Amino acid sequence: MSVPRARPASALALVAALAAAGLGPAAAPAAAAEIPAGAGSYSDTRPAGTSGPTNNTGTPVTPKVTEAARDKPVPTNDWWSSLAFQRYGDNPYSTPMYGHPLTYQATAGGLEVGYPTTPSIVGDGRQYEYPHKADLTVGLTGLNSPDTKADDWSDWTVTPYWADGTRTLRTTIGHGLPFVYAKGSGGDARITTAAAPEVFADDGNVLGITVAGHHYALFAPTGSDWSVSGTAVTAGLGSHDYFSLAVLPSTDALATYRKYAFSFVTGSEASWSTEGGKVEATYRLTTEPQEGTETGTLQALYRHQWLHTTDPLTPYTYVSPRSTMKVREGASFTTEQASSGVLPALPESSGVDTARLKGYLDEVAGAADPFSGATDTYWTGKALGKLAQLVPVADQIGESATRDKLLGLIKDRLEEWFTAGGASEFSYDKDWKTLTGYPASYGSDTELNDHHFHYGYYVYAAAIVAQYDQAWAADSAWGTMVKTLVRDTANPSRDDAEFPFLRGFDLYAGHSWASGHQGFAAGNNQESSSESINLSAALVLWGSATGDDSLRDLGGFLLATESEAIAQYWFDADQEVFPASFGHETVGMVWGSGGAYSTWWTANPEEIHGINVLPVTGGSLHLGREKEAIKRNLAEMERENGGPAVEWRDILWEFESFADPAAAKAKWDAGHADYTPEDGESKAHTYHWLTTLDTLGAPDATVTGSIPTSAVFSKGGTRTYAAHNFDSVARTVTFSDGTTLDVPARSTATR
């Protein structure tokens, strides 16, 4: 027997916010264990016997933030999350955080700062890393804080906070920031170096030092003087509370960096637009002068950024695990990329044998258990994705009964998860401001891992349903629950009090992070970049199908940005990122400190190479941009594997089809009879995929369409243009080479 509980104030606020946005009812019962969301609901209390976020000993934890940040949703899954998520009971500070070019770790005495410039090859040659090693510690004389908390954060900066009863210290750090900005009280500024520093410049309040071969500039308020005694460098702050330091690309850069020493960065924000086959993004820092009037700054751009900007850059550069970072003088810069098209399915082609395809479809639709026993969020998601991939394929060949059966299976399972109180449900955690699906898996509950991986499949499946049943996707029906999953994983709002903005997507790094606590010496990590892309593609499809242009455009921005990051940092497409001594063509995992030729669960080369490919959908077409990298990637897989793929052959055939569709189809022809599909795949989808690309050619990323749901394929010099129109009226799609394509309402067309 259960007793109704009073709904927490945060839950009531959520209901009010949903109502105000038109996403839920205007009123709710005074006491309930369920939060209504359209036709669905989620719980406000975890199911009995389950866990929420815990430390490594299983003790529950709440966000480690200051009073000023107490009600602000923590983005978790970030490059600095260990500041707020205390994963280890004996470490109330942080694990190493990789901001690039600088690295950081909070300690009782302040903030360790390092600048790793030499890679290490570890793990029997399977991992490269630029590990954190402190060159110096930024603190105050006598500071001995019992913990470090997150005091503030923005799109790619964070402000750690220390207090020991006498002294307080705040520092602001971030991606691309060569500066550490400090504000302290109760003691003198103190920089403790790892070894006695060499002084190369001394101008009272400006000191240039070299530690471990790295050059730093220290800046105290005007009128103060730095004093060096052994490894202690101190300066009185007088009536001021600020000081800063910068890592210099060279000693002769001191004058340039000195200009911006007191222009403190106070925040960061990215904005974007997607139009006419282009994605434009602007990355902007806000600053506040501590003395003088200078409001400019310096920032270091990652490779995926400077490849796509025409803004002037200085000659200064830094080393990083993502290859060279280039320095921009200015508080903002803009990038422009071609968009990455998304289709609900590959278009119709003459190469597909419809009778054969029908047989494969019947195998899936007629299976005794189309969900293969899945109960948790991840494996249920993969099963939903597998079925959703086949809905437009069945529709394409006129198998409407099979299409509708698949849609029914998807709806039933989604509605089961989207209704609180059953064996499967989503539960809202008011402390961490997150939505967790139970049964959970892979630390999605206790570590807040992988929500974007898991829920991306749900949003993708819901988008396919919305394509055929708009009433089901309405806010008053099941659309509100879909949007709630989106708010948890890729929230477009910075003003949402119940979920953080873009929980796991690192706007400056250009990709998502998987760990919710970031509690590793190597920083945070992401393995399956392609499952992150799956969420972005799902946003494009869901936004297009439901008329939500903002979500559609968010998905387009995330997809284009992460696509370039994947090409550079997972596949080393330009062969400019991985250290020469690493010896691999790809990594299965990217870490804050580098990358690893591995997965979390196996050293099998097939999975190492395939985990950043699956699921293969109409959102995977961006992979076709880097054909030579795919060929190198697969050649290494066969070398490491001792021959062609055996376990994940369908995933790797599909990967090859982005570069050489004929070769991939030939492997299918030779091996389709005796393999077991990967758990998120089916013979129906693989046959349709390989046969279609063999007929139309590989994706041609040199041409883009004027709407996000368009793509081009090329074979033997002949291009095929395709687009899906979700609108209720016909429209004309214009491609960047001048070709036009008329697309009827709610249809896919090709030319």
Side-chain angles (χ1 to χ4, degrees):
M1 176 178 179
S2 62
V3 180
R5 293 175 295 279
R7 179 171 297 159
S10 62
L12 289 171
L14 178 57
V15 171
L18 290 172
L23 301 181
E34 299 178 1
I35 299 173
S41 59
Y42 53 96
S43 63
D44 61 6
T45 305
R46 290 192 302 273
T50 63
S51 295
T54 65
N55 68 15
N56 61 317
T57 64
T59 303
V61 292
T62 55
K64 189 162 58 75
V65 299
T66 63
E67 185 64 23
R70 185 171 61 85
D71 294 323
K72 187 177 178 181
V74 178
T76 64
N77 307 74
D78 215 330
W79 67 273
W80 56 265
S81 294
S82 62
L83 277 172
F85 193 134
Q86 186 176 342
R87 180 60 177 165
Y88 306 103
D90 60 352
N91 180 2
Y93 304 104
S94 81
T95 52
M97 301 173 288
Y98 293 81
H100 306 146
L102 291 172
T103 62
Y104 315 95
Q105 184 165 5
T107 67
L111 182 70
E112 289 184 356
V113 178
Y115 173 41
T117 52
T118 303
S120 299
I121 308 300
V122 299
D124 296 324
R126 300 173 73 89
Q127 183 165 344
Y128 78 88
E129 60 180 13
Y130 292 77
H132 168 70
K133 183 179 180 181
D135 288 338
L136 48 83
T137 300
V138 179
L140 301 173
T141 300
L143 179 64
N144 185 22
S145 180
D147 58 24
T148 310
K149 298 176 179 178
D151 185 55
D152 195 13
W153 51 85
S154 60
D155 285 5
W156 61 89
T157 69
V158 65
T159 300
Y161 173 84
W162 295 257
D164 64 6
T166 302
R167 291 155 287 266
T168 65
L169 174 69
R170 289 175 175 85
T171 63
T172 296
I173 56 179
H175 280 318
L177 298 188
F179 286 93
V180 174
Y181 307 95
K183 288 201 168 186
S185 66
D188 293 341
R190 179 184 174 100
I191 308 297
T192 305
T193 56
E198 300 175 16
V199 176
F200 65 82
D202 187 351
D203 190 15
N205 71 316
V206 178
L207 189 71
I209 62 173
T210 301
V211 182
H214 304 139
H215 309 302
Y216 291 89
L218 313 182
F219 305 100
T222 298
S224 300
D225 289 295
W226 289 102
S227 174
V228 180
S229 177
T231 59
V233 186
T234 58
L237 297 178
S239 61
H240 305 294
D241 65 352
Y242 57 86
F243 62 102
S244 66
L245 69 81
V247 61
L248 301 178
S250 59
T251 56
D252 61 7
L254 177 58
T256 299
Y257 281 65
R258 180 175 186 166
K259 178 181 178 182
Y260 302 108
F262 301 115
S263 177
F264 274 33
V265 167
T266 57
S268 57
E269 184 171 311
S271 58
W272 56 86
S273 64
T274 62
E275 187 175 358
K278 298 290 184 183
V279 176
E280 184 175 283
T282 297
Y283 301 84
R284 187 177 305 279
L285 296 172
T286 55
T287 63
E288 181 179 332
Q290 303 304 298
E291 58 181 64
T293 58
E294 180 60 62
T295 57
T297 191
L298 296 158
Q299 53 189 322
L301 280 63
Y302 282 115
R303 180 177 180 81
H304 76 275
Q305 295 169 325
W306 57 255
L307 282 172
H308 296 284
T309 188
T310 57
D311 291 341
L313 303 175
T314 72
Y316 300 131
T317 63
Y318 290 105
V319 173
S320 87
R322 310 292 181 252
S323 81
T324 301
M325 299 182 79
K326 297 187 177 184
V327 177
R328 164 125 169 105
E329 192 170 8
S332 69
F333 64 91
T334 298
T335 62
E336 184 179 280
Q337 293 175 251
S339 62
S340 299
V342 178
L343 295 174
L346 292 183
E348 186 175 1
S349 78
S350 61
V352 173
D353 181 330
T354 56
R356 185 177 182 182
L357 179 56
K358 179 183 183 305
Y360 289 137
L361 287 167
D362 290 344
E363 288 178 10
V364 178
D369 178 9
F371 290 88
S372 304
T375 58
D376 64 86
T377 47
Y378 181 70
W379 292 102
T380 297
K382 282 181 69 75
L384 285 166
K386 176 177 69 176
L387 299 179
Q389 291 168 6
L390 299 181
V391 170
V393 170
D395 186 56
Q396 192 177 98
I397 64 170
E399 291 296 319
S400 56
T402 301
R403 175 201 66 198
D404 293 343
K405 183 175 184 179
L406 293 169
L407 284 169
L409 290 168
I410 294 168
K411 289 179 185 178
D412 288 348
R413 188 56 58 97
L414 286 175
E415 290 169 19
E416 176 185 316
W417 276 91
F418 288 173
T419 304
S424 333
E425 69 173 18
F426 287 95
S427 174
Y428 181 73
D429 186 315
K430 63 182 177 59
D431 292 323
W432 287 97
K433 301 188 188 306
T434 189
L435 195 72
T436 302
Y438 294 93
S441 53
Y442 304 110
S444 60
D445 51 353
T446 56
E447 302 178 56
L448 298 184
N449 293 343
D450 301 352
H451 284 200
H452 59 315
F453 293 165
H454 297 207
Y455 304 172
Y457 287 106
Y458 290 71
V459 178
Y460 181 89
I464 295 298
V465 173
Q467 181 179 336
Y468 294 91
D469 188 346
Q470 290 187 305
W472 184 93
D475 290 342
S476 58
W478 301 97
T480 296
M481 275 302 299
V482 178
K483 290 181 179 180
T484 306
L485 266 64
V486 171
R487 290 169 70 206
D488 181 71
T489 53
N491 192 0
S493 172
R494 293 182 175 86
D495 301 320
D496 190 334
E498 301 300 328
F499 294 95
F501 173 64
L502 294 181
R503 178 183 304 280
F505 193 87
D506 188 325
L507 281 159
Y508 204 84
H511 59 81
S512 298
W513 295 111
S515 169
H517 53 73
Q518 186 260 307
F520 304 96
N524 212 324
N525 71 88
Q526 177 152 274
E527 185 181 62
S528 183
S529 60
S530 49
E531 287 182 302
S532 180
I533 285 285
N534 188 47
L535 173 60
S536 300
L539 294 179
V540 173
L541 293 177
W542 173 263
S544 298
T546 61
D548 190 331
D549 292 351
S550 64
L551 276 186
R552 178 201 66 194
D553 293 347
L554 170 62
F557 162 68
L558 298 179
L559 176 54
T561 304
E562 192 154 23
S563 173
E564 185 62 64
I566 291 167
Q568 297 300 328
Y569 311 140
W570 273 261
F571 296 154
D572 197 14
D574 298 335
Q575 299 183 293
E576 295 286 346
V577 174
F578 298 168
S581 53
F582 179 49
H584 291 285
E585 299 289 350
T586 190
V587 294
M589 304 169 69
V590 159
W591 286 89
S593 65
Y597 185 79
S598 63
T599 72
W600 278 109
W601 79 98
T602 182
N604 180 0
E606 296 185 31
E607 279 113 321
I608 292 171
H609 288 258
I611 192 59
N612 286 291
V613 179
L614 62 80
V616 177
T617 73
S620 307
L621 300 176
H622 71 100
L623 291 172
R625 189 176 69 247
E626 304 294 349
K627 294 177 173 55
E628 292 306 312
I630 291 173
K631 293 175 183 177
R632 292 194 303 269
N633 188 308
L634 290 170
E636 180 184 22
M637 187 281 296
E638 294 204 0
R639 289 195 304 271
E640 295 283 336
N641 205 43
V646 176
E647 295 180 29
W648 276 13
R649 61 181 80 176
D650 46 0
I651 297 297
L652 295 166
W653 290 339
E654 289 170 318
F655 190 30
E656 186 171 17
S657 73
F658 291 109
D660 190 343
K665 177 60 163 49
K667 290 177 181 176
W668 158 270
D669 289 339
H672 67 83
D674 63 348
Y675 83 97
T676 301
E678 186 271 333
D679 289 307
E681 261 298 349
S682 64
K683 287 191 174 181
H685 179 259
T686 301
Y687 169 71
H688 179 267
W689 185 275
L690 296 176
T691 304
T692 300
L693 290 189
D694 184 43
T695 304
L696 303 181
D700 182 350
T702 65
V703 181
T704 57
S706 58
I707 64 171
T709 50
S710 59
V712 180
F713 307 87
S714 181
K715 180 178 182 179
T718 299
R719 286 177 174 149
T720 298
Y721 303 81
H724 186 85
N725 176 16
F726 284 92
D727 294 347
S728 58
V729 296
R731 67 180 303 168
T732 298
V733 177
T734 302
F735 291 85
S736 57
D737 64 355
T739 301
T740 59
L741 175 64
D742 295 327
V743 191
R746 305 197 185 287
S747 301
T748 297
T750 60
R751 173 177 173 182

